[in-house]
């Protein structure tokens, strides 16, 4: 585990070699220690097949090393060179509409294509052989942003062949598959595995289990792709970390599963574009258009800390305006500093800005860097320098501690409700993030856990919203859990094979809850059913039967929150007010201490400090908490985009 | 003709055989008499080519028969099994974008594919041979929901070949086709029929006559497909009815034409989803989100009674929430009863709920049934039982009588204005349904007639809105009609070949109306032109010349309603207020007696009774009509989703 | 140069030959002198390969000539006949989604297909040989509306082959191309030109320079296509003009470049549909739904006068409702006259109505003509007659004089910001038209200039908004310009190869402006940043550095208008109020005299007269200008859709 440190993404191949020295020196002046290189450089490493040119990369690492930088080398497999497409024309993926996607941008490969998988292993082996002993090498990044641009799913002959094999292995017999998928429903029964097609370009919906298995298959291919690189890289240098830079809000493959062959999970944090592309209201988007959503980056820090077995980096940190949203506003002054501090508070080891110098050419020429294209400092240059100086005062060493609250986030559940929304817009992730934010607004540290969690001890409250199905590990963890549990809506509403459980949902394990969902009342967008006491149900209402106690009900008398002992069932999806009421109710039940935070302010504890960040566009005033012993950075008057750090009394 | 009776859709192949007996017994307890089976079971009837397994179906019929049920057997042609696609890879249809739609859902066949047409005949023959003599057999259903999921049109080589032949037969010479289509317009002239292409994937619009002929051709293929099955089934048992279950609001083929080879027209009534998918306002949708539009089901009852030569069933009746709209709200308690009573009042013989038990697997697992997946009763179970009990008291026997008002609905006109809207959103059906609702809100029974109607006697008022072209039968019927006629807008505005008539529209037949449409002023959505006295024109205004008398005009002085004797011409499309004013004007002219109905309440007379239904979400109070002799069910205080039935004094 | 004269588009092949004489006679009675024929008649000129039938066209020209008409013959290449597609199946273009677009409408050809290019030359040669000596021949039109229906770009094998050759010629070496496109960015480097693909169907965006070069290539093919026809036609009759009829708002190819082989630029003016399809607000669209935008037709008059080297016609003038917008309202009475007068005032030589008689068949049967389909006069018949009579009184001879203001419009810049909007909705054309309208509302005559303009003398004010890059000619013109210059936003922000200039934008030429755009703050739709003093920035804000003087700044203190001497830099895109303020500021600085015009009224000076037109739906009152000597047509009380013409005192 590394103490909080800054990094940057650098493309020596984009600049004259005579600039490298100055660049490395200026990076050091900013306080940068980690430099990622190489992940798009295949055409420069191997301009034609077998013509290897690693010399320039070694020279670049020499220069960077001389200035004290540790280099993270990316395998360049996200950008296969043009000659390889001549060699493997069918390595190009096919989209859901049946169109093969050509060369000319990036990520033009099919995870199911075994020929390309071998090319990927080959170039990884070449890099491992050539660079593993370089003294500046600090670790590896596999590929770049798996799944970006919708590249997890391919509807190609290669994918079809792989899918059929995967199904044959999973089910053994075609009868077992027919039963699992419910193929009797519309005479969809198969006699042989090689009759099965991919679930695209059908007359209407495929069987939901067919779709779900295709997503599981596709996710497995991404994991297998990564595993190959991981094993090659670790074989040479077991001591160096292998990292991948995930994209937030890209849930097409199971990040937990892939991270079984990673040492550290990193992610690429672009708060402003992510808010613009989210389903938040226009009002909320306007309020935070120059900051990003106040809970979204934090959620992903906590998610990827979980994905990374406790180790998390930001591999790409937005430094200024980007180029890929419909509109790309300038961040508020200070945000490049705030985002870094927030990441560190949530456990980040390295925060690496993307990128050192704005490229004047190519697809991302409107994407800011720490330097402008004319090499003058952009605003984030100074903000990064400030963070580096501040880190020298306040190290924030040590792991981010366990929170009092946890929420379970599950990739399969994201897929499941995309496949079968029943109410357009219903999403697992929105439920998880909604509860995450509601708890966090009360000053609580919230952990994000995988659905395979087998131990919940230490938490006051655990929330499991909209989880497709409960595996044995989770059932066991819940059975032993002594805190307060909030489940639903739609939790445990399906079997592993995407069917309704025989006793109906929620199928949570024996005797936990005397409640069944008799049926679902899904609501059109814009329709709200008020809940007595405040807030409203929207999109989703479950009509339940059973003997659980009614805690809240809506104006129509339908129970919205029910309980049995310490288990609470949330039988609807709610607007923000209702979700907050439910979270507050749980907090009160669990008697968990909270903080009173001004609007837009959030906080996280790490290493004996509480880091406050102010996402609001105006200054706010903090109320010091009982457990604090004064500010070591900033003060109770926290400006817009400001950071304040309090030392905890207990940290004495 | 069968006295009003309940039915249900049942899938014995979905359940353990040992459940069948209990299911059949419970159906009988509910009061169900008709059970539809088999329409998706091809893979169980013939798991591989020629391997016929009809035994289970016969056993299921045995069980059902033992409990007094009459079985409607569906031909399974909507779900061809997987092995058949290997045999006929080109039986899969091709969509307008040129993509072949694969196996994995349903309706994966091309009506133009002669090989599949023969397979369809073959399996129908097999069923007819095996089951015709079964004592429980009560009739046949052909296929399932022809046209559902946009499957009427295929842009395949098979369709192209069929279309060329059809054109050659229709036109005889290529010169005749060139003239009919106006191909001189853009040098679109052909030398041979085999040069003609399908009207998709062009640079811009095809000639409207080209599009219209392709729709006529495609419609004819659906009819021919049905005819084959009909003839096979009737050959064995001329006494048993052959039925098809149409989808409402699916107008891609001519239902009247197809029904020439049907004994009964049934339709599948899903009021809530149909409203959600309609073009009604958000406000209207919110008001009726748990009931469906108060006039839409009734319109289709009357339409399919007409399609079915007086015989109409509901083959699938929504019992609770469904799964296929963007949101799928729970119906108001009572709606499953209300919908059944309304159907009977409009002449339904059988109302068959879809389905007996909610399936826990497959594409429709969120679609309610009379039973929940755990075999407990869902709300509609009790409501159906209540209907069955009530039917024992009030039989409603006999046909639905002729109304005082009729509207003409025409499939070709639906296609025509889709091909050439001139104002986006202009639709024949919306005009027809708008007038239907306006008359019905005044308590009038309204019949829906085909454009080939040759006798209008008995009606006070007949409305013919937006009818593409008038055939000889209709011209003759109108010439002999003694009541009040409301035509326009756009009625008779084209020739059979989709050209403007030489004397301009409306081309209604000699000397009926001294009026020409000089030009059309179509209006963007949201623009309204107020009409003096109330209401507004929207979407469509016609500028007319001639000597007809002006009855209403808009604020700009443009005539909106004109008359010549008893013929009225509506020269605009109107908002609901204007359409109501025009309907009321016609009623006043014709001196037709009306009822005063509360908002949301509608009624229909059958068999000496007037059945009132309350679509409103709140209770209403009825004003007893002069011709009534008290309520035999319910009372003047009609609750939300309630039914009240008054005996007519004359029925004494 | 021809004195203002009326014309009409006529299709003798659509009507019985015995009607031609009467038609020609009635045209003469209206006052029409020019008749365009033939542009869609290929199937009648050559019904099968080599079977030439030009006799009917010659007879039609005989008839028209007898009645004093001059005939413009269109080459029929926009509608290749069906037999040619059998001969050249690959002449059909392929759309961006990879679908070949078939026969059955029009414009079904690929500009890159050399076989079709030869067919086009062949039929042009045949027409030139047969008709050049006909006494009624008045000129030629090449093809019809190049680019209409999105036909400039084809993603076909023919286009791919042509593009590769074009690139090889442009760049010489593949290394030069790799550098120009920035291909190092994502390993997009090529080794050979034949590895380059078209920029469609990629995983994500192509390099912007790749996209831009494909647009340049495609534009060049259209120009080459036209050049061939031009050279053939001019070889026979150098004295007769060769014309093309451009579509406004179709910017897919460079109209200036194409017009290098034209004698006159004509355009097809459909004001009402163009407004409906524009990005104007719903409120503005409602206000002018029966008139069209008050500045859009004028802008295109001025643009095409520039494209046509000073010679401009309206080849198709909307006469009444058309058929191709979502809704097609009737024009206000008088608009067919107003549009003609406005065109003449802006320099039109001929205004030719489309079309003589409304066709009752084919795709455009709902498109009005001067005659209805039943040969009775439509409203525009009388309005055209009135214009012809009025022209006999007021000739408006001579060229439209130079305005006091000019704006530069550039096709490449339209493409560039479509490729890289950075703020969705950012458009070069919208900036140009916004400034054009702001100056014109002050009664100023505004010229539209190409980006290759080398002399700006005579102008008080020149505006150069959002120009991709400044060529040498323009730099030199600006260096010598003595008036007031308004540039930005985004002017000179890229190099020729779509990169950010080394010193950042605006790269305007040495020492003109001490200002750099440090970064861009792009804003979501609906977000406005108020500017001190009035108006607001929207979509685009630039953060500038340097020593230019701040003239206006927004509420956040960010400069919006800056100046250095007579050069002003507009660092944002603005709402209409802000654009007007900036225009007014420039006018005040330049001390240019203005007029005070009522809302909806515009004017233009030509030949010693000032022509006023009233686009408002209500009457307005004009304030006579100091330089006028009274009205020769109409008066200061100008009715809705009215025209008033004042004689200038100086015209004595």
């Amino acid at each position: 585990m590394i103490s909080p440190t800054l990094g940057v993404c650098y493309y020596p191949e984009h600049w004259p070699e005579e600039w490298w020295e100055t660049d490395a020196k200026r990076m050091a002046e900013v306080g940068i220690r980690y430099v990622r290189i190489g992940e798009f450089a295949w055409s420069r490493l191997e301009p034609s097949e077998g013509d290897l040119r690693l010399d320039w990369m070694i020279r670049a690492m020499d220069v960077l090393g001389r200035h004290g930088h540790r280099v993270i080398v990316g395998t360049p497999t996200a950008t296969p060179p043009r000659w390889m497409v001549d060699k493997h024309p069918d390595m190009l993926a096919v989209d859901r509409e049946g169109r093969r996607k050509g060369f000319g941008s990036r990520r033009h490969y099919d995870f199911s294509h075994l020929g390309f998988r071998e090319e990927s292993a080959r170039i990884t082996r070449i890099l491992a052989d050539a660079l593993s002993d370089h003294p500046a090498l600090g670790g590896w990044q596999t590929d770049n942003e798996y799944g970006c641009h919708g590249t997890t799913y391919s509807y190609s002959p290669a994918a079809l062949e792989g899918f059929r094999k995967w199904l044959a292995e999973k089910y053994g017999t075609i009868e077992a598959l027919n039963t699992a998928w419910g193929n009797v429903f519309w005479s969809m029964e198969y006699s042989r595995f090689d009759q099965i097609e991919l679930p695209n370009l059908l007359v209407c919906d495929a069987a939901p289990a067919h779709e779900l298995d295709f997503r599981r298959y596709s996710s497995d291919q991404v994991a297998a792709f990564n595993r190959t690189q991981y094993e090659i890289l670790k074989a040479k240098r077991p001591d160096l970390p292998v990292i991948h830079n995930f994209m937030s809000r890209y849930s097409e493959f199971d990040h937990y599963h892939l991270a079984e062959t990673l040492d550290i999970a990193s992610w690429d944090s672009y708060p402003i574009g992510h808010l613009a592309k989210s389903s938040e209201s226009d009002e909320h988007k306007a309020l935070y258009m120059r900051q990003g959503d106040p809970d979204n980056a934090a959620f992903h820090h906590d998610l990827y800390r979980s994905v990374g077995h406790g180790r998390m980096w930001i591999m790409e940190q937005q430094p200024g305006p980007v180029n890929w949203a419909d509109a790309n506003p300038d961040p508020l002054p200070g945000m490049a500093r705030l985002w870094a501090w927030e990441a560190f508070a949530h456990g980040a080891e390295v925060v690496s800005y993307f990128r050192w110098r704005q490229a004047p050419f190519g697809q991302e020429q409107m994407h800011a860097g720490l330097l402008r294209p004319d090499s003058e400092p952009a605003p984030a240059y100074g903000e990064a320098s400030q963070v580096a100086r501040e880190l020298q005062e306040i190290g924030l060493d040590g792991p981010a501690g366990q929170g009092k609250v946890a929420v379970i986030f599950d990739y399969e559940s994201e897929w499941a409700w995309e496949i079968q929304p029943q109410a357009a817009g219903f999403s697992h992730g929105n439920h998880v993030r909604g509860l995450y934010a509601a708890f966090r607004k009360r000053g609580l540290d919230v952990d994000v856990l995988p659905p395979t969690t087998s131990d919940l001890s230490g938490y006051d409250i655990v929330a499991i919203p909209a989880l497709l199905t409960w595996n044995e590990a989770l059932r066991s963890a819940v059975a032993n859990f002594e805190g307060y549990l909030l489940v639903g809506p739609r939790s445990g509403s399906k079997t592993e094979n995407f069917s309704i459980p025989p006793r109906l949902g929620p199928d949570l394990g024996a005797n936990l809850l005397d409640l069944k969902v008799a049926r679902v009342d899904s609501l059109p967008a814009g329709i709200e059913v008020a809940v007595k006491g405040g807030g409203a149900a929207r999109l989703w209402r479950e009509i339940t039967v059973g003997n659980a106690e009614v805690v809240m009900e809506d104006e129509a008398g339908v129970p919205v929150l029910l309980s049995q002992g310490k288990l609470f069932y949330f039988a609807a999806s709610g607007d923000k007010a209702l979700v907050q009421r439910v979270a507050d109710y749980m907090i009160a039940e669990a008697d968990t201490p909270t903080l009173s935070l001004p609007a837009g302010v959030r906080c996280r504890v790490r290493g004996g400090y509480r880091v406050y960040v102010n996402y609001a566009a105006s200054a706010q005033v903090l109320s010091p908490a009982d457990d604090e012993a004064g500010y070591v950075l900033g003060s109770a008057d926290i400006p817009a985009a400001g950071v304040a750090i309090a030392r905890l009394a207990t940290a004495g």
Side-chain angles (χ1 to χ4, degrees), chain A:
Chain A
M1 186 127 195
I2 303 162
S3 297
T5 307
L6 293 185
V8 80
C9 301
Y10 186 54
Y11 300 91
E13 70 273 26
H14 290 181
W15 314 111
E17 188 160 346
E18 57 269 28
W19 294 15
W20 297 356
E21 191 80 34
T22 311
D23 282 340
K25 182 161 172 289
R26 291 177 84 187
M27 289 173 195
E29 287 165 6
V30 169
I32 281 165
R33 284 286 320 281
Y34 277 82
V35 181
R36 184 191 64 171
I37 68 168
E39 82 278 12
F40 298 131
W42 201 337
S43 73
R44 289 293 165 101
L45 296 169
E46 191 179 15
S48 59
E49 189 173 6
D51 176 18
L52 296 168
R53 310 274 181 99
L54 278 67
D55 52 312
W56 66 266
M57 183 174 270
I58 291 166
R59 290 199 304 277
M61 291 173 72
D62 294 345
V63 172
L64 291 164
R66 273 205 299 281
H67 290 272
H69 302 301
R70 305 279 284 158
V71 178
I72 304 298
V73 174
T75 63
T77 45
T79 51
R82 177 62 184 82
W83 56 261
M84 193 175 293
V85 179
D86 284 335
K87 188 177 170 195
H88 303 292
D90 55 353
M91 65 175 272
L92 301 170
V94 174
D95 73 8
R96 196 167 172 94
E97 304 305 311
R99 299 169 303 197
R100 205 171 272 283
K101 295 306 192 80
F103 181 90
S105 58
R106 63 175 177 175
R107 300 209 57 73
H108 40 278
Y109 71 84
D110 189 330
F111 283 103
S112 291
H113 190 274
L114 301 181
F116 180 67
R117 296 237 299 239
E118 179 44 38
E119 299 282 1
S120 154
R122 186 180 60 81
I123 193 71
T124 302
R125 229 174 274 123
I126 288 164
L127 290 177
D129 289 346
L131 308 178
S132 280
D133 298 329
H134 196 287
L137 185 68
W140 302 97
Q141 176 186 295
T142 53
D143 198 274
N144 181 72
E145 295 177 348
Y146 289 134
C148 191
H149 313 304
T151 50
T152 299
Y153 305 120
S154 174
Y155 299 84
S156 63
L160 177 60
E161 190 183 337
F163 184 44
R164 287 171 173 175
K165 276 189 197 160
W166 184 94
L167 290 170
E169 277 177 38
K170 172 170 181 175
Y171 290 105
T173 67
I174 196 70
E175 292 73 20
L177 177 142
N178 282 330
T179 302
W181 287 10
N183 282 338
V184 66
F185 189 65
W186 280 341
S187 275
M188 298 176 296
E189 292 166 303
Y190 301 96
S191 318
R192 305 183 311 274
F193 284 99
D194 68 7
Q195 287 177 328
I196 297 167
E197 305 288 345
L198 300 176
N200 64 320
L201 293 177
L202 304 187
V203 175
C204 62
D205 293 344
H210 184 177
E211 279 278 8
L212 184 60
D213 267 349
F214 179 65
R215 297 203 181 207
R216 286 168 171 153
Y217 160 76
S218 301
S219 177
D220 282 0
Q221 303 321 299
V222 184
F225 186 92
N226 187 72
R227 179 183 308 272
T228 303
Q229 293 198 3
Y230 179 80
E231 287 170 355
I232 292 166
L233 296 169
K234 293 300 280 191
K236 279 278 172 183
R237 283 289 298 272
D239 59 314
L240 288 181
V242 175
I243 314 173
H244 178 70
N245 61 328
F246 293 99
M247 277 294 278
S248 71
R249 297 274 181 122
Y250 277 68
S251 311
E252 293 183 343
F253 63 94
D254 186 331
H255 297 194
Y256 299 119
H257 178 207
L258 185 137
E260 291 170 14
T261 52
L262 289 180
D263 301 305
I264 298 171
S266 77
W267 73 287
D268 296 348
S269 179
Y270 293 97
I272 289 177
H274 285 159
L275 175 58
K277 287 179 172 287
S278 77
S279 59
E280 292 285 353
S281 68
D282 285 348
E283 188 188 357
H284 188 78
K285 288 181 181 180
L287 198 57
Y288 291 110
M289 64 177 256
R290 300 186 182 285
Q291 305 102 300
D293 179 86
D295 296 300
N296 188 61
F299 172 81
H300 287 91
H301 296 323
D302 293 331
L303 168 62
Y304 287 108
R305 208 177 60 242
S306 180
V307 167
H309 331 291
R311 298 197 63 184
M312 183 267 291
W313 290 21
I314 306 301
M315 193 61 90
E316 301 184 9
Q317 175 60 60
Q318 173 170 3
V322 299
N323 66 300
W324 44 263
D326 275 358
N328 299 286
D330 203 22
L332 283 190
M335 287 311 297
R337 170 176 169 252
L338 181 156
W339 292 324
W341 268 114
E342 186 179 48
F344 289 132
H346 283 261
E349 302 177 18
V350 173
V351 172
S352 168
Y353 289 94
F354 180 87
R355 47 190 281 158
W356 174 243
R357 183 189 292 104
Q358 183 174 348
F361 48 75
Q363 281 90 334
E364 294 181 348
Q365 59 187 257
M366 299 300 283
H367 192 301
L370 296 186
L371 297 183
R372 303 189 324 214
D374 62 353
S375 297
E376 292 297 312
Y381 187 95
E383 297 189 20
S385 305
Q386 181 180 353
V387 172
R389 286 193 306 273
E390 291 166 347
L391 278 173
Q392 293 183 320
E393 303 294 315
I394 309 147
L396 279 196
D397 285 313
Q402 181 174 346
K404 284 291 179 200
V405 179
V407 295
I408 287 186
F409 177 77
D410 173 43
Y411 291 90
E412 280 206 357
S413 298
E414 279 282 61
W415 311 336
W417 311 139
E418 285 172 14
I419 293 167
Q420 184 189 86
Q422 184 66 8
F426 185 98
S427 136
H428 170 73
N430 284 348
H431 279 86
V432 173
R433 287 185 292 266
L435 281 165
Y436 174 92
F439 286 113
R440 187 166 179 257
K441 278 178 191 161
R442 298 310 182 217
L444 297 173
D445 293 346
V446 184
D447 294 338
V448 179
L449 303 178
T452 50
T453 301
S454 58
D455 182 4
L456 297 172
S457 53
Y459 291 110
D460 287 4
I461 303 167
V462 173
I464 312 182
L467 185 71
L468 176 73
T469 191
W470 289 40
N471 56 51
E472 285 311 313
L474 185 64
R475 286 170 197 267
S476 152
V478 163
N480 296 322
F481 179 47
E482 296 181 354
Y484 288 77
L485 191 66
L486 175 65
V487 300
R490 219 171 180 175
S491 286
S493 61
K494 303 288 174 182
T495 69
E496 152 95 6
N497 292 321
F498 214 134
S499 290
I500 297 173
R503 68 169 297 289
L504 308 187
D507 184 18
L508 307 184
N511 306 320
L512 273 181
L513 181 62
D514 182 2
L515 176 151
K516 291 186 189 195
V517 175
R519 65 189 182 282
V520 170
D521 174 48
S522 62
L523 303 172
I527 299 290
E528 302 205 326
V529 178
V531 172
K532 290 174 188 166
R538 50 187 289 282
L539 288 182
W540 195 269
R541 291 167 81 220
E542 292 173 352
I543 313 301
T544 57
V545 293
N547 291 304
E549 188 183 340
V550 178
V551 180
M552 296 182 192
E553 63 180 21
D554 63 29
E555 297 284 5
V558 174
V560 163
L561 186 68
L562 304 102
S563 72
Q564 182 166 326
K566 289 175 157 184
L567 194 161
F568 289 74
Y569 189 82
F570 192 1
S573 58
D575 62 4
K576 287 190 180 180
L578 178 58
V579 172
Q580 193 66 57
R581 275 188 68 205
V582 169
D584 289 347
Y585 192 92
M586 298 298 298
I587 292 168
E589 288 287 301
D591 203 20
T592 304
T594 59
L595 300 179
S596 171
L597 297 176
V601 173
R602 301 290 189 276
C603 64
R604 223 288 170 186
V605 167
R606 179 179 179 190
Y609 296 94
R610 180 171 285 121
V611 178
Y612 291 93
V613 292
N614 180 14
Y615 272 86
S618 57
Q620 304 291 339
V621 180
L622 304 176
S623 316
D626 295 344
D627 61 352
E628 293 174 4
Y631 297 100
V632 297
L633 183 78
S635 70
D637 292 310
I638 187 167
V643 176
I645 302 181
R647 196 155 52 87
L648 295 188
T650 54

